[in-house]
Amino acid sequence: MKTFFSHFIYAVLSTSIWHTTPMTAQNNPLNTNIMMEEKQNLTQEWDKVFPKSENVSHTKVTIRNRYGITLTADLYIPKNATGKLPAIAVSGPFGAVKEQASGLYAQKMAEYGFLTVAFDPSFTGESEGYPRYVASPDINTEDFCAAVDYLSARQDVDDERIGIIGICGWGGMAINAASADTRIKATAAVTMYDMSRVSANGYFDAADNADARHALRTTLNAQRTKDYINRSYALAGGLPDTLPENAPGFVRDYFDYYKTQRGYHKRSLNSNNGWNITSSLSFINMPIMAYADEIRSAVLLVHGEKAHSRYFSEDIRKKLKGDNKKLLIIPGASHTDLYDNMDKIPFDKIAQFFTEYLR
């Protein structure tokens, strides 16, 4: 499994395990032209993987970030709401779209009385950005801050009561945003991944050495040359259509969410052909939570007891300072249980956290 870990990085899946040929713009069914067309003609029907709430109003909105990229988001407002509301921006998991877990979280939090937006990060889903399927420690942190811009400017939002929720890899982005943006008064990071750490060091820091990083950089930079010559960007490949018998347990969990009716979505990277391979280069060199210890606002870390990723939340909790920082471990829960398992996700406690700190 050495190759799996060294090429893990995006969508938590390896092209070398599941594919013999990287995806390109030519053989990728979700190619750039199709994706940009979808952005220009935003889907109007309810195409979420979760049922629509009768207690919440829903509409689509767009948000321009500081890099000039227009994000597409779903806006959820509690019905019969009056006055200025506390608000929450939501994104994640890493390689998902707003029609999946982030939308579920946003809609549920709206049922608790918060105005919420669930957005597609830059370069993904219905949001703008080229090349497609790229992740960036800077731009994706900015995406959260841009969502705060949007919420702060709304007349029905109390701009002193704005929080964010990041799921999986976007949990780390949310913490990074909280360390930079003092307008964020409370942050929840659910089933969090530190994408910089796992990109540079591998799982459980098993490849945390200069030689391993040099070999990975060499492979990725060779791919850059190929991409330039081919005038297209190879993709890492998402989950396989058929799960191998020797697949690790956590990959089986991902498969059960992204490749089945439970969570599959046509715009999800993890459900289809994965991330742009070379975009992982920036995460290797740019730790996203370098100043987490300087966050003064409230932070809630939520992780499953049985999650393979649990150590990310446990370790970042040691770095956070202040009585307003909390770690909540959910008994018996796996990493993906906190995507959509309504019996496992502690929505009452998450809502209580935001009610306490967005007041």
Side-chain angles (χ1 to χ4, degrees), residues 32-33 38 64 71 78 89 100 102 108 122 128 137 150 155 168 238 244 253 275 289-290 314 336:
T32 298
N33 292 334
E38 282 191 337
R64 177 77 76 168
L71 310 179
Q100 296 172 309
S102 62
K108 188 65 179 178
S122 295
E128 285 184 347
Y150 170 80
Q155 294 301 308
C168 185
D253 289 342
W275 291 94
M289 290 184 280
E314 291 178 330
T336 56

Side-chain angles (χ1 to χ4, degrees), residues 132-336:
R132 302 303 293 169
Y133 323 121
V134 172
S136 161
D138 184 16
I139 296 175
N140 294 139
T141 297
E142 160 61 20
D143 289 342
F144 264 118
C145 298
V148 174
D149 292 341
Y150 170 80
L151 293 172
S152 297
R154 288 187 61 93
Q155 294 301 308
D156 52 359
V157 168
D158 183 344
D159 63 4
E160 291 297 321
R161 294 192 292 162
I162 295 176
I164 60 176
I165 297 175
I167 306 166
C168 185
W170 257 258
M173 300 290 189
I175 291 174
N176 197 39
S179 71
D181 194 333
T182 56
R183 299 171 300 172
I184 298 170
K185 305 305 182 185
T187 300
V190 181
T191 199
M192 187 200 80
Y193 255 83
D194 180 343
M195 294 308 301
S196 293
R197 179 177 176 181
V198 75
S199 296
N201 302 345
Y203 270 125
F204 304 105
D205 303 319
D208 184 14
N209 62 81
D211 288 342
R213 279 186 287 275
H214 178 77
L216 180 55
R217 291 185 183 111
T218 298
T219 298
L220 295 174
N221 284 301
Q223 184 63 52
R224 286 190 62 152
T225 302
K226 294 177 183 177
D227 288 349
Y228 189 85
I229 292 171
N230 293 335
R231 297 182 180 274
S232 64
Y233 296 88
L235 302 181
L239 283 150
D241 292 330
T242 302
L243 196 63
E245 292 183 2
N246 64 343
F250 70 95
V251 175
R252 292 180 180 276
D253 289 342
Y254 284 124
F255 183 93
D256 188 51
Y257 181 76
Y258 286 108
K259 299 296 284 190
T260 69
Q261 187 177 1
R262 170 187 167 194
Y264 176 86
H265 197 278
K266 63 183 180 181
R267 288 190 293 274
S268 168
L269 284 73
N270 291 348
S271 291
N272 295 283
N273 294 321
W275 291 94
N276 180 320
I277 293 174
T278 59
S279 58
S280 56
L281 278 164
S282 58
F283 281 92
I284 297 172
N285 280 15
M286 300 178 189
I288 59 173
M289 290 184 280
Y291 295 101
D293 59 335
E294 297 184 5
I295 298 173
R296 299 186 182 185
S297 58
V299 176
L300 173 65
L301 304 168
V302 183
H303 229 110
E305 176 191 18
K306 296 184 177 180
H308 66 283
S309 52
R310 175 176 166 178
Y311 71 103
F312 291 122
S313 286
E314 291 178 330
D315 286 356
I316 201 64
R317 175 63 187 91
K318 298 171 186 176
K319 188 173 183 179
L320 297 173
K321 297 178 181 178
D323 294 336
N324 58 354
K325 312 299 191 295
K326 304 175 183 179
L327 172 62
L328 178 61
I329 300 297
I330 308 304
S334 69
H335 181 87
T336 56

Side-chain angles (χ1 to χ4, degrees), residues 49-70:
V49 302
F50 52 90
K52 187 174 184 178
S53 171
E54 297 301 321
N55 300 315
V56 174
S57 298
H58 163 265
T59 188
K60 285 198 170 180
V61 298
T62 56
I63 302 167
R64 177 77 76 168
N65 75 15
R66 192 167 55 90
Y67 292 98
I69 298 171
T70 298

Side-chain angles (χ1 to χ4, degrees), residues 88-92 98 101-107 109 116-120 144 147 151 163-167 170:
I88 302 172
V90 191
S91 197
K98 64 189 181 304
S102 62
L104 172 65
Y105 272 71
Q107 180 176 258
M109 296 310 294
T116 64
V117 288
F119 63 87
D120 285 331
F144 264 118
L151 293 172
I164 60 176
I165 297 175
I167 306 166
W170 257 258

